[in-house]
Structures are given as C-alpha cells and as structure tokens.
C-alpha cells in the first residue's frame, strides 16, 4: 500500500506532458520480418496553451527489434506547430518547459519538445531534439507561432 501511494505521488509530481496521436505514416524500407522502417507523422496539442497543435515527423525503426520495441530510432525529427484556435495560457509558461517527450530507444534515448515564449516578438517557439543519457545529438528543428487574435472564418 505504501509503495502504491508513493508511485501515485510520483505520477502527480510529474509535469503534464502531451500525448501524440498518429496522423499518418509512410514505409521507407521493406523488412521481411517485423514491421517496415517508416516515417511517422504525429500531432499533439500543447497541454498549457489552448489553440496550438504541433506536428512531428520522425523515423521509426522496424524489423524484429523495432517490432519488439528494442531498436533505437534515429535522432532526426521535424516539427511544425500551428495556431488552430484562439490562443490562451493555462498557467504560467516557463522557458524551456518540456511539452512532449517520447522514448526512442529501450532505455537511454528520448525525443523531446520544449517551448519558449519570445515576449519581445509575442511568439511561441517550439524546439524538438533528441538526447541520450550520456551524449545527446545536435540535430534539432524549430518552429514559431506568432500570438495573433483568432478570427473565425465563415
């Protein structure tokens, strides 16, 4: 019981992160056994900013290891975030705050999206990068959304 309460407490202490839904995928390499290597496009809404959706494209390794979740995915990713409604904030935004994180290898590698608020230009900036326990990758992608009034098209 004590352990269960401790784990529950850890869950509540973790930051609120977005979860992605798959929009589509294309196969890049045929594998005889297991799933093919592919590029996956996923979408997630910023959990602290209403009116913003981000789209990620990234490689997923197939084959037997990929099918079992043991393969290490490549570090490259692309991101495009867009205003999809009126922008409003749910609480205070912290620069470099993690909004999305996904494991890209069994233990040591993750892909993360962090958010910055460029107050001078009234713009939200999203950065995607991959890191490892010991050494990360310099490969990254960035996208920006100017915070503008939302006019509903009729």
């Amino acid at each position: 019981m004590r352990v269960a309460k401790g784990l529950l407490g850890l869950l509540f202490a973790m930051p609120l992160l977005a979860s992605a839904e798959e929009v589509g995928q294309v196969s890049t390499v045929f594998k005889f056994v297991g799933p093919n290597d592919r590029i996956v496009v996923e979408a997630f809404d910023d959990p602290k900013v209403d009116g913003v959706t981000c789209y990620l494209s990234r490689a997923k390794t197939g084959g037997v290891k990929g099918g079992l979740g043991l393969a290490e995915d490549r570090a490259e990713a692309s991101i495009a975030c867009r205003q999809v409604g009126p922008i409003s904030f749910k609480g205070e935004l912290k620069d470099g705050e993690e909004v999305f994180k996904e494991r890209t290898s069994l233990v040591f590698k993750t892909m993360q999206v962090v958010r910055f608020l460029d107050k001078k230009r009234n713009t939200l900036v999203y950065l995607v990068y991959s890191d490892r326990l010991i050494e990360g990758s310099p490969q990254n992608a960035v996208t920006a959304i100017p915070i503008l009034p939302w006019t509903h098209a009729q």
Side-chain angles (χ1 to χ4, degrees):
M1 183 69 170
R2 210 179 203 183
V3 173
K5 284 183 180 179
L7 289 174
L8 191 60
L10 279 175
L11 274 175
F12 288 120
M14 290 176 60
L16 180 64
L17 296 179
S19 60
E21 61 184 77
E22 188 174 306
V23 173
Q25 62 176 288
V26 294
S27 179
T28 58
V29 176
F30 174 75
K31 299 287 186 174
F32 284 106
V33 180
N36 292 341
D37 289 355
R38 60 202 187 282
I39 297 172
V40 177
V41 177
E42 299 168 312
F44 69 88
D45 298 324
D46 187 323
K48 286 182 83 176
V49 182
D50 282 335
V52 171
T53 298
C54 294
Y55 296 89
L56 289 172
S57 70
R58 60 193 183 94
K60 285 206 167 197
T61 305
V64 174
K65 282 185 176 181
L68 295 173
L70 302 175
E72 183 172 303
D73 293 333
R74 298 178 59 100
E76 298 93 357
S78 178
I79 188 168
C81 297
R82 298 294 181 260
Q83 182 176 0
V84 295
I87 291 179
S88 62
F89 304 121
K90 300 175 190 174
E92 185 181 337
L93 301 183
K94 297 177 185 143
D95 274 346
E97 185 173 13
E98 192 174 89
V99 295
F100 179 82
K101 184 175 188 172
E102 187 165 296
R103 181 179 57 83
T104 54
S105 76
L106 184 59
V107 178
F108 301 112
K109 190 174 177 184
T110 60
M111 182 190 62
Q112 302 173 62
V113 176
V114 294
R115 175 195 342 96
F116 298 91
L117 176 59
D118 180 352
K119 291 180 183 175
K120 180 179 177 183
R121 293 165 190 84
N122 200 34
T123 300
L124 291 165
V125 180
Y126 293 84
L127 170 71
V128 62
Y129 68 99
S130 181
D131 69 354
R132 282 189 172 163
L133 188 61
I134 296 174
E135 181 181 334
S137 170
Q139 296 179 2
N140 63 82
V142 68
T143 186
I145 304 171
I147 302 169
L148 301 171
W150 183 256
T151 56
H152 183 68
Q154 299 200 2

